[in-house]
Amino acid sequence: MSSIRHHCGLFGIVNHPDAAELTYLGLYAQQHRGQESAGICTAGGQNVQRVAGVGLVTDAIKQAELQKIKNSMAIGHVRYSTTGSCSESNVQPLWVSAAIGEAAVCHNGNLVNAVALRKEYERRGHIFTTTTDSEVILHMLADLEYREQADPLASVLRHVSGSYCILLIYPDRIEAARDPSGNRPLCLGRIGESWAVASETNALDLVNAEYIRDVEPGEIVTLTRRGINSRHFVERQRCKPAYCIFELIYFADPSSQVFEESVYLVRRSMGAALAREAPADADLVIPVPNCARCAAIGYHEQSGIPLGRGFTTNHYVGRSFIQPTQTIRDLTVRLKLNPIRGSVEGKRLIVVEDSVVRGTTTRGKMQSLRKAGAKEIHLRVASPPIRHPCYHGIDFPRREELIANEREVEEIRAYLGADSLAYLSLEGMLACVRDQGHHCTACFTGEYRIPIDDAFQKNVFERDQLKLFDSRGRPAHADS
Amino acid sequence: MSSIRHHCGLFGIVNHPDAAELTYLGLYAQQHRGQESAGICTAGGQNVQRVAGVGLVTDAIKQAELQKIKNSMAIGHVRYSTTGSCSESNVQPLWVSAAIGEAAVCHNGNLVNAVALRKEYERRGHIFTTTTDSEVILHMLADLEYREQADPLASVLRHVSGSYCILLIYPDRIEAARDPSGNRPLCLGRIGESWAVASETNALDLVNAEYIRDVEPGEIVTLTRRGINSRHFVERQRCKPAYCIFELIYFADPSSQVFEESVYLVRRSMGAALAREAPADADLVIPVPNCARCAAIGYHEQSGIPLGRGFTTNHYVGRSFIQPTQTIRDLTVRLKLNPIRGSVEGKRLIVVEDSVVRGTTTRGKMQSLRKAGAKEIHLRVASPPIRHPCYHGIDFPRREELIANEREVEEIRAYLGADSLAYLSLEGMLACVRDQGHHCTACFTGEYRIPIDDAFQKNVFERDQLKLFDSRGRPAHADS
Amino acid sequence: MSSIRHHCGLFGIVNHPDAAELTYLGLYAQQHRGQESAGICTAGGQNVQRVAGVGLVTDAIKQAELQKIKNSMAIGHVRYSTTGSCSESNVQPLWVSAAIGEAAVCHNGNLVNAVALRKEYERRGHIFTTTTDSEVILHMLADLEYREQADPLASVLRHVSGSYCILLIYPDRIEAARDPSGNRPLCLGRIGESWAVASETNALDLVNAEYIRDVEPGEIVTLTRRGINSRHFVERQRCKPAYCIFELIYFADPSSQVFEESVYLVRRSMGAALAREAPADADLVIPVPNCARCAAIGYHEQSGIPLGRGFTTNHYVGRSFIQPTQTIRDLTVRLKLNPIRGSVEGKRLIVVEDSVVRGTTTRGKMQSLRKAGAKEIHLRVASPPIRHPCYHGIDFPRREELIANEREVEEIRAYLGADSLAYLSLEGMLACVRDQGHHCTACFTGEYRIPIDDAFQKNVFERDQLKLFDSRGRPAHADS
Amino acid sequence: MSSIRHHCGLFGIVNHPDAAELTYLGLYAQQHRGQESAGICTAGGQNVQRVAGVGLVTDAIKQAELQKIKNSMAIGHVRYSTTGSCSESNVQPLWVSAAIGEAAVCHNGNLVNAVALRKEYERRGHIFTTTTDSEVILHMLADLEYREQADPLASVLRHVSGSYCILLIYPDRIEAARDPSGNRPLCLGRIGESWAVASETNALDLVNAEYIRDVEPGEIVTLTRRGINSRHFVERQRCKPAYCIFELIYFADPSSQVFEESVYLVRRSMGAALAREAPADADLVIPVPNCARCAAIGYHEQSGIPLGRGFTTNHYVGRSFIQPTQTIRDLTVRLKLNPIRGSVEGKRLIVVEDSVVRGTTTRGKMQSLRKAGAKEIHLRVASPPIRHPCYHGIDFPRREELIANEREVEEIRAYLGADSLAYLSLEGMLACVRDQGHHCTACFTGEYRIPIDDAFQKNVFERDQLKLFDSRGRPAHADS
């Protein structure tokens, strides 16, 4: 699967002399969650400082700047990649000075009522300097109405809808919050006297932090040099979990735990379920690189059909690749993947994909394998057909670009060029995860567990017409 | 003179198919007014777009980005250089989305009540995302109280104090405003059906625009595709001009007209006046490069003493120059200037400076000339001693660093190492400019024609203690 | 396996309007053979032109320069990476002007009598401007003694010893030669009327060229716009093949054919042989990423033990990674690999490596797996212990740094921290390749099939002392 | 004057702990002599090391590399700029390993028999890896025939013709040589126990070295840690000086001494002579920036007409300037110079140029001044018309591009758009220099004092056809 823009990744740490550097590492471990930009805000004493830039973590954040920072508290953010240009103004964390003092926020998810809230604040005279939906949270926090509440952040969060994990840094603390549906992952870890918070546990692993637990849906955890404190802004029993199943299918790193279960094991189970649901008489199971390897292992184990390798990957794919002339333009599809003739020639293949979005890349891979001599190709997709938009942070293409939109499986098979095609059933998929009934599967079913107001839905569908926020060249839906 | 940070430079244009490129050129022509950052906002239809970055115009704004812009309206800004790092967040123009729609502002000057206004808006719940004083103007414009006024911009400007020229761009127009004292220059030009606005006329020259007139103190000029419209937010007769005489002495390019007179001619007159006030028996008049050449011409013409050249300049001074080891550190003062022995050896020199701030550089030049064999050095400064801080945009060092602070001329002479020293008198200087009595000379006299509130003055003096706004590494006085 | 510096990669093409661009792609496909520098020389008419630089292909060769080239003939080279700095002077191809006209050479391998030849030419008054051994070939070609021969290139090649593949470009042709032992791979391909030559077939694949055959040991192939011509500089029957078995074990891309057999299939066979020789009672076979995946597939197929995944890989490892402070230095070993706890916890693992050189990285991986909960680790290496230096182009560390140097398997096992350790036997390995008896296995056996003069051997052992050629910071053994 | 490519600049120093850094500074001071590339070779013990690159000194040589060097001996080179691309292979100093050990050379001038010598060495089997004429000197030094001479370098230099200054560095010494005509300048200086050598004295000034004397025509000076030694390879009385008068007119920095006289004073004298020869009734003398300021001072002093300023210069002209669209292309001529209307309006001007080559730039300046209101323009050129090619290192355009080629002064005047035009006479010019009769004036007279062989002359005239050496994109005449 290749055409989904990734999510964002968050990291934060308190009470560590190398807070900025560990945050850098924590972002680096979560680079797969966003390649467009990276930023770190640190705090200590009265101020909040910021270093940030566009590109990968190693490009966006200069070592020299990083090492000058002596603060013992930091939050950081990596932002998903887009194909087009990216605005420096939207790079997170977003720093502000306001009645609450200096602060910065970073955010993973999508506030479905951000447009409405923003319009209200604009009407009241506030100004917005980015096109991210995170900005509205800072306006609310700075708003006298909320400031006067007993727990301003809790009040604010009770008034935003959508999916989000949020880190806020103040001169004296970090606040980490997860929406009542728990749609996006957020976990807590500890290194000695320091506490860390991250989107995925692999970031904790890299900085040698012990994974303690997830931040719960509807919970705010405050991290200070004295340790952590917890409170719920929505009572536990009123939180209706809607964990994004796509984190488990595709986004998260297989070495991570997400929603308190192993990403690897879930994917392997899905592959095994797929083998049970849609067996095929074949010589070899091969994963489509690089994402479907875990599901392919499951299919292989379940079916007993040997697991092989169909492609080699060029790891040096550069962002500055030459613009080829017309003559050689058609060569460029092979730049990243080369089929292994010795492996696939004359073989009946079961090719395992984690998911299929637009289908163009998958189709190219089918053609490559054919050309390398594959005798049969049985394409197996370890998740159901994607037929609905996501309002919670996944940047699927528009509905009409989805290969499964209003197409039957047979039509899709013919387009992709496989000899047979099967998707994992919804039930099969759900049987592989813990806490069944606690996941959002809207992209497959169209049933949105998190309420969306009509204006937002309209916005998502018509975003290319409306372009509400895109004055700086960023898509209007501006997830972060 | 070398230790004054420069002002900012502004440029705007409407109704031109190459608006973005002409703005780029207009900024380029005014690069001497600011080297820290550069930015351009363009408009057309409903949106305002932004390209900006740190460094010189040619570094900050990528050609590829610029040429993608098809909008016919643009404003741009170059920001003065500082020795330290600079925050990308403070790069102007500042873009916002607010109740007034999308807009962007850029600003040259210093709002003396910005701190107070900002505190008030913060108190009311607004958030600030930069440390520039320009941001408060956008908050005011977006404020319902002002929006309901018949002329919101006029109302806003009547409530800010200080020195400023402002360009605002909206999807359909540019608004150009100059404070009632006219402290900073702003001029209008025309290229066919297009109208342009710039800090200095040399920017109009470069883009082939005809200089029409200055924006008047207290005037707002609206530029649209249909032409220009004017209104005064302070009645003409109530405006008390306080043109910054330092623009004429040092800042502006000699090829420009500023405050409706030729910078070159004013400087030449000052040099001539200096020759009359402080003649010296000498062989040669030499300017201190590169700023004092106009005044030196005046001195030479008036005195009849030949005009020569004392130094050559290394034009390749790079920003990435090596950090020399201790052994050779003392060599670096000569990196930019080398005395011409053949010119000065055995000569009695009249060395003309435009102004002396700290004195350290001037002192080094005196030593260089001595070493190259100068027999006598009569230092003549074509402006009076600088003894007072500027609250209106010039970043003089703190009072105690000014060479003329609480020092007599004789003390200064001894420190600088000249055989004689004379400054142009205040009267002599003022006799050289048109519209006498309309200039701010506070840095020489301490008489501030533009009201400053006490908080601000305190702030300027104590800025190193307070650091009100510097959470991102920018000096707290945040001029733009 | 991680501590072997890679070989170089060669590519050449004639009679194609996009010769330079296809060479760029051909180098790009072979980027795994060298990341230190890249260069392309093109020809047409009377001249030979050069574009080259340090770094990856996409960094070293600017698109703008590339696209200006209209020549229909080109050769290119990627050079292996080193940990230290790299000299721009040594970037290949090496261009010369000499009695033979303009020409350029690029070279993969190691001339074992280059030092002696060079010393002789220096004695005779020639000057050398690089520290590569390729330069001596150009001196010989330009030498009157060789020029007068009926076939100068053949004469030259009969006088150099060692392992090499060479591409020479002249204004009117490319000459491609392979040493009589065929130690390094070189293959021919065709795209319509164009002929191409490459180290590996995956480069032919990428440019859509059909693989025709290998250049034979002792053969020179001339490529011109009229097609190809072949001659042998050493008679076929006198060539004693000594194909580098390490190309099959580690260097070449699995999608390539090398020495006329599929790299993938050879590696899979080796894994299978290893399973027969050294079975283990375990739950899961996992490859050490990323090189041992083919061998692991073979082990898995042979043993029937399921194939899994032990680590995830961070694909964003940047070259500009921060220099961590002492506090976090030990974290950096995990930057590239993170163990998948869900996969390995509580499992008895068979971990397949392709080869073990120093052992430090392998040891780290064992520790990672233990920490992630592996119950047993049975390390299986799909090649014999490396105990001898390579004189033919592989930059193994010095003998005393080899983990298997004078150590028994049990000692190695203890050091690496595995529960059991087995290497593939020499016989087992050789049974997996075609043309048995035609491979160089000196690194395992110490039996060098290609003669090495004593001076050279001494040089290799004492290179750190002698540093014959390293005046520009490059290691003295200067393989290319 | 703008269309002459500059010369190269040399610097060398022995016995100084900061040799590399001082060489960097010495090159920096001479940046006006070449902006295309810069390089430094250092020595100490047995080796010669090299750091070099394209662009200005500060870009070409990385500080980090420079500061790692601990050697106490260094030579460096800056190469003249060209408009097109530049080959990294030609960057000097040129390093070699040969029978003479390791060495490096850098060179300012033009060897007129380099082509013939090179052909001979190529015939004998030597290979050349650059297209610079300096390379042949290293071949000769390495040649057994010369090595066996009592004084190999002296022998070599007796066999090369043309104009040159050469620095050679060996592990234990620097050799500095100047051709028997002394065509290019080379001077010696001392800092304590260290000796330095440079093209111009301003480089000595910058590193605080005392100017001692020039290297004499036909002299070799050896610099070692024990001091300097001198010998003549051509006897003093047989040396026929032919100092390049263009060094005095245009190339050298006015703060330098060249050929043992002050560049400034010579230029001032030329301006004064011009005033005597070609007076004009005018209000103001203005120099064409930036080169003619010294001559303008002379004209002004002699004529008594005041000296003024006609243009301001944009010091921020960047190399990465945008490519303007067609619409604004004609604006770009004004990017660097803006006329000062206040200075020139209504005035009768005497405009002083140092020399006129193609005339296109001068013509543009005349138009600028007219547009700014100049009433009359009397163009005075402080040197005679340039009518002949230079074979000794100045890269004049081809004869037919010279404005004065086969054109009368009146024709030139009409083309340039001046009201009157006068050049300084040859006699007038020569009367301004010391050692009359010792200068090369061939570009004015066609009388070449340094013998040129016919092949070379043919080469210069037909270089665009022959392109003997240009396989790497550099013009064939490849001076350095």
Side-chain angles (χ1 to χ4, degrees), chain A residues 48-50 88-89 95-99 102 118 122-123 125-129 131 138-139 142 147 471-472, chain B residues 48-50 88-89 95-99 102 118 122-123 125-129 138-139 142 147 471-472:
Chain A
V48 175
Q49 285 183 295
R50 180 174 185 262
E88 298 194 1
S89 308
W95 177 97
V96 297
S97 162
E102 294 189 4
R118 181 171 175 145
E122 287 189 1
R123 198 191 55 75
H126 287 228
I127 67 173
F128 286 75
T129 60
T131 58
L138 292 165
H139 282 267
R147 268 150 54 206
S471 61
R472 292 179 190 181
Chain B
V48 174
Q49 285 183 295
R50 181 175 185 262
E88 298 193 1
S89 309
W95 177 95
V96 297
S97 162
E102 295 190 1
R118 181 172 175 144
E122 287 189 0
R123 198 192 54 77
H126 288 228
I127 68 174
F128 287 74
T129 60
L138 292 165
H139 283 267
R147 266 149 55 207
S471 61
R472 292 181 190 178

Side-chain angles (χ1 to χ4, degrees), chain D residues 9 160 167 290 294 315 350 395 405 478-479:
Chain D
V160 298
L167 298 184
N290 281 323
C294 305
H315 291 296
I350 292 167
D395 188 29
N405 177 49
D479 162 55

Side-chain angles (χ1 to χ4, degrees), chain D residues 75-142:
Chain D
I75 62 172
H77 185 265
V78 285
R79 192 180 169 82
Y80 69 89
S81 71
T82 65
T83 50
S85 68
C86 110
S87 167
E88 297 193 3
S89 309
N90 283 341
V91 173
Q92 295 204 6
L94 177 61
W95 177 95
V96 296
S97 161
I100 52 172
E102 293 190 4
V105 68
C106 53
H107 166 213
N108 172 24
N110 211 9
L111 303 183
V112 294
N113 63 342
V115 176
L117 288 164
R118 182 169 174 147
K119 283 189 176 299
E120 170 58 17
Y121 277 103
E122 287 190 0
R123 198 191 54 76
R124 284 162 59 179
H126 287 228
I127 67 174
F128 287 76
T129 60
T130 76
T131 58
T132 63
D133 55 359
S134 323
E135 193 175 358
V136 78
I137 291 174
L138 291 164
H139 283 266
M140 295 171 82
L141 286 168

Side-chain angles (χ1 to χ4, degrees), chain D residues 54-267:
Chain D
V54 295
L56 297 179
V57 175
T58 48
D59 295 328
I61 299 173
K62 300 285 170 290
Q63 180 179 357
E65 287 190 79
L66 193 66
Q67 293 190 333
K68 273 184 277 175
I69 302 169
K70 300 296 170 212
N71 288 332
S72 64
M73 212 179 294
I75 62 172
H77 185 265
V78 285
R79 192 180 169 82
Y80 69 89
S81 71
T82 65
T83 50
S85 68
C86 110
S87 167
E88 297 193 3
S89 309
N90 283 341
V91 173
Q92 295 204 6
L94 177 61
W95 177 95
V96 296
S97 161
I100 52 172
E102 293 190 4
V105 68
C106 53
H107 166 213
N108 172 24
N110 211 9
L111 303 183
V112 294
N113 63 342
V115 176
L117 288 164
R118 182 169 174 147
K119 283 189 176 299
E120 170 58 17
Y121 277 103
E122 287 190 0
R123 198 191 54 76
R124 284 162 59 179
H126 287 228
I127 67 174
F128 287 76
T129 60
T130 76
T131 58
T132 63
D133 55 359
S134 323
E135 193 175 358
V136 78
I137 291 174
L138 291 164
H139 283 266
M140 295 171 82
L141 286 168
D143 183 349
L144 188 59
E145 187 185 339
Y146 289 104
R147 267 148 56 206
E148 287 176 342
Q149 303 290 322
D151 185 340
L153 178 57
S155 296
V156 165
L157 295 179
R158 280 191 290 265
H159 284 84
V160 298
S161 310
S163 85
Y164 55 84
C165 288
I166 283 170
L167 298 184
L168 280 155
I169 191 165
Y170 295 93
D172 63 342
R173 72 190 185 282
I174 292 172
E175 305 264 21
R178 192 166 166 215
D179 78 63
S181 74
N183 188 250
R184 299 289 143 212
L186 195 64
C187 62
L188 291 167
R190 189 164 53 188
I191 326 172
E193 299 298 304
S194 305
W195 283 87
V197 59
S199 294
E200 293 189 25
T201 60
N202 79 328
L204 300 180
D205 291 345
L206 182 56
V207 301
N208 231 1
E210 182 191 5
Y211 167 60
I212 301 298
R213 66 166 174 93
D214 278 10
V215 174
E216 293 179 14
E219 185 187 13
I220 299 168
V221 176
T222 307
L223 299 83
T224 70
R225 65 183 58 196
R226 287 172 306 282
I228 61 168
N229 271 298
S230 165
R231 62 195 189 276
H232 275 71
F233 60 95
V234 172
E235 289 169 55
R236 256 201 200 91
Q237 56 274 33
R238 299 186 59 186
C239 290
K240 292 182 190 152
Y243 306 146
C244 173
I245 201 149
F246 233 79
E247 290 277 357
L248 292 163
I249 294 172
Y250 172 78
F251 286 137
D253 191 86
S255 71
S256 291
Q257 289 209 62
V258 153
F259 309 133
E260 305 194 337
E261 63 183 322
S262 159
V263 172
Y264 174 81
L265 291 178
V266 170
R267 289 186 193 166

